[in-house]
Amino acid sequence: MNKSNSLNVFLVLLFLCGFRFSYAETQGISISQSSFIQSSFQYIKDDSGTFSIKDVRSLADNSWLEEATGSANFGMTTDPYWLRFKLNNISNKNLNLVAALDYSQLDDVVFYEFLGDVKLREFATGDTKPFYPRDVDHPIMSFHVSLEAKQAKTIYIRVQTDGSMILPLRILHENMFFVEASKEQKLHFFYFGCLTVIILINLAVFLTLREKLYLYYAVAISGYLLFFTSISGYSFQHLYPQHPALHGRALLVSMPILALFSVLFCREFLQTKQHSLKLDMALRAMLYFEIFNFFSALFFSYNTAIMISAISALFFFSLLLIAGPISWAAGLRAGIFFTIAWTPLTIGVLATTGRSLGFFPENFITQYAMQIGSGLEAFILTLALADRLYHEREDKIEAQADSLRKEIAHHEAQNKLAEAMAHDPITHLPNRNRFEWMVNQKIKQDPNGLYFVGVVRITRLDEINRTLGLTRSERLLIYIAKKMTDLATTQSGVHKVIDQTGKKECVYQISGDSFGILITPNTLTDNFKSLEHSLMKLCEPAVLDNLAIDLHPLFGASVYPKHGNNAAILIRNAHVGMKNTPHAVQKLGFYSQKYDIYSESRLTLMSDLREALLHNQTELFYQPKLSLITGEIVGLEALIRWNHPERGWIFPNDFIPLAEETGVITLLTRWAFEQGIKDLAALLNDYPKLGVSINISARDLAFGDLNNLIETTLKQYHIDTTFLTVELTETAVMEDPNSGLLILKSLSDIGLKISIDDFGSGYSSLSYLKKLPASEIKLDRSLLIDICTSKSSKVIVETAINMAHGLGYKLVAEGIEDKESALLLKEMGCDMLQGYWLCHPLPLDELKVWLRSYKNIF
């Protein structure tokens, strides 16, 4: 085993204990039966390292130096030292003695026993040799000597080590040696037991809480335990007595283990990441160094490894000595405990070092200062961890109590929120969510039952809000809710539910102005008479602040399972049924699919139409206009047609209104003008007098770029503006008379003809119509359908023709389906007609065929 000759001294001074050294002279050791024996010896240094026992015995007496105290420290040296002392039994009894060098870290020790000039015995031991056999079963280097009465023996000891040459000689009676050894072992094992208990406690806490802090501390204390059992020789004696090399490595490995996990513990305990970044960086650097130290202890030479450990010890103790005060200064409670805990360990290290250097006297405290310091450190830190655990538990209990309080508050808030979410804030009636839940529960319980979902809507509520204000209208709403609840409570067929608070639910507020009930018709015995009576009661004016207010309620209903299989669909269909009240015999409007215009397909129709326009999937069909004066075809009306790839042909009435509502109509109009003018260009070569009429809507009047679009397209195909007629309904004109008039004048100014479509179906002002720059009026088919059979219809049409001519307009009759009507209109002086009697709307190619085959029918 090799030990360093330089830095190793630091490690020894820091960690080793149990050394004695003094300077005096002695002649020999006279021994009586008394228990106390004053040890002393003579010594000589073997500079050459070649002395044999024969050479030593031949040396002159003045070559030997005296050590009267029995303890010497020769520092770091690899030179052998020889010790000599005489044992004189001055008593009349035989004595059994033990000569012991009370230091377990000596490499090679050889004892020689002489009686006069006769060598009685030679015994070699040391920590480089297997522990057994030893002359005395004890970790220190000891030798058994027997003295007969009045007998004297001389003992020589050759000692060589690569570490510190510390030679504390003790001569004890055999029985006293074992008594003291037993006491010492008890102290050691009490100390080791305390450390073991601390380790087990912290491991148990770690396994319970899964906090790394306690694991780090347990492993750090395990490092202390390994260090002190190795330095005292007990681990060598009891664990691996036949493996001295392992004993040396165990001592080396214990140092980085205790340092590494002490630093990890320090970081966690002092929370240096949060409170001191510089200290944390230093501790992390120490961690990396200790990892290196650990591997050096395993794989480097003993001399190199112990040098690295000495450097590690210097920085380790210095860093942890200041870590506590730094954290204390930062206001961390743990810093106080750490400072207090590290102080006795530091004092113990200093006391051990001072005793080794001879600054402090040898006594129990200085001999075991480091064990005492480390024990106090472990005890204080264990108390600190217990304090931390206590405060954490207190914090957790407080946090749990706070969490419980928050949970209670949260639960109360949730209850209030659930109440708010399930009830209307004004009327406090259960809301739509609650209504849907109740209906679905009823259907789930009895899926084969028959139920009516009834909906009541107060149609004038917005008007009442604007007139009376929100406060009074809310009072009115509360009055209505109470009246409906009172009426529903008396109805045997109305389904009633008891909520969690014990309140009875029968009327539900579906929205601000709508209420719902669930009716079980099988429980009604009067054929709905009581229900009709209740509906009549709701139609009565409500009295508020001496005002009788008409509510104008509407009633709708849907039937399960005919009209839906869940609450949401049934409520929706009941609302649709409300719209169908005029079609119903009773005042209660039942849902009918026949009148349900709110199909889901309508929602996607406009996106499909946009795609169709972009990919030119729409078509223009043309219906000819016949001149009743000449019998010639004088114009064409362009009518859009759409063959949907999935739905087939879609009627204009199904998508034109939606296009106007969504604004897609402007795209449709742009496409119609571009396609219509393009088709007109293809027709003018063969029919130079033919014109085309294209419809626009009220939305198109707000399209400021309409003029530019038309002019640009006409120029593109070299067509004069007089061949193009713009048609719009009188209703569209009247939506915004002022701006509509300006747009139409601008269209007329570029040469376009203006035609008023569906004349007679609206409520347009004649004084306004005369201002329009129109050149043509198209009489609505509703005025012409019975012109041949109704005298009044004939008078109206004749008057309209005369009026149109009087205003300078030409008049076109639409929807003519028979020859009699056509001849009568010709007789009345009507200018033009169009309708199925003449020709159905045709695509361009078929129209060309029809035009070629057309002959004057008059």
Side-chain angles (χ1 to χ4, degrees), residues 720-724 746-753:
D720 191 82
T721 55
T722 57
F723 288 95
L724 185 63
S746 65
L747 293 174
S748 177
D749 289 343
I750 65 173
L752 297 176
K753 296 177 182 178

Side-chain angles (χ1 to χ4, degrees), residues 231 411 644 666:
I231 204 72
H411 183 67
H644 194 280
T666 56

Side-chain angles (χ1 to χ4, degrees), residues 22-27 29 38-43 65-71:
S22 59
Y23 304 92
E25 296 182 359
T26 184
Q27 297 293 326
I29 304 174
Q38 177 64 48
S39 299
S40 63
F41 61 83
Q42 296 174 312
Y43 66 89
L65 301 177
E66 298 290 337
E67 178 54 64
T69 64
S71 179

Side-chain angles (χ1 to χ4, degrees), residues 559-570:
V559 180
Y560 170 84
K562 182 179 179 181
H563 299 148
N565 60 2
N566 63 67
I569 295 175
L570 291 169

Side-chain angles (χ1 to χ4, degrees), residues 396-586:
K396 285 181 180 178
I397 292 173
E398 181 60 31
Q400 287 175 348
D402 186 58
S403 178
L404 183 60
R405 288 191 293 268
K406 289 180 179 178
E407 186 66 27
I408 293 172
H410 180 66
H411 183 67
E412 292 176 353
Q414 276 189 326
N415 289 339
K416 291 179 181 179
L417 181 60
E419 176 73 13
M421 291 180 65
H423 292 79
D424 182 81
I426 298 171
T427 63
H428 301 294
L429 289 177
N431 61 14
R432 181 188 180 109
N433 293 333
R434 184 74 177 168
F435 186 48
E436 288 189 359
W437 175 85
M438 183 271 292
V439 173
N440 286 329
Q441 285 294 108
K442 190 64 178 175
I443 292 173
K444 184 178 180 180
Q445 292 169 5
D446 185 15
N448 298 319
L450 178 67
Y451 307 105
F452 289 177
V453 170
V455 175
V456 182
R457 179 170 174 263
I458 310 302
T459 59
R460 296 192 65 202
L461 193 59
D462 286 341
E463 180 185 352
I464 294 169
N465 283 339
R466 290 191 294 269
T467 304
L468 301 181
L470 287 176
T471 302
R472 298 174 75 186
S473 64
E474 286 177 357
R475 289 169 51 204
L476 178 63
L477 202 59
I478 294 171
Y479 167 81
I480 295 168
K482 184 177 184 306
K483 185 174 182 179
M484 288 187 66
T485 302
D486 292 341
L487 290 171
T489 303
T490 61
Q491 295 293 323
S492 59
V494 176
H495 185 67
K496 304 172 183 65
V497 176
I498 304 299
D499 66 9
Q500 295 177 345
T501 62
K503 295 180 182 178
K504 185 182 291 184
E505 297 178 355
C506 54
V507 178
Y508 298 80
Q509 191 160 356
I510 299 174
S511 63
D513 60 358
S514 298
F515 303 84
I517 57 173
L518 179 67
I519 300 170
T520 308
N522 295 335
T523 60
L524 293 171
T525 57
D526 57 358
N527 196 23
F528 293 96
K529 288 184 179 179
S530 60
L531 182 61
E532 290 179 358
H533 175 73
S534 296
L535 296 182
M536 293 299 296
K537 283 282 188 182
L538 288 176
C539 292
E540 294 176 356
V543 179
L544 180 69
D545 297 339
N546 298 321
L547 295 174
I549 303 171
D550 286 324
L551 302 175
H552 290 185
L554 285 178
F555 307 100
S558 60
V559 180
Y560 170 84
K562 182 179 179 181
H563 299 148
N565 60 2
N566 63 67
I569 295 175
L570 291 169
I571 294 171
R572 180 260 181 198
N573 290 342
H575 275 287
V576 175
M578 186 188 300
K579 298 290 185 180
N580 301 333
T581 302
H583 304 289
V585 178
Q586 300 175 343

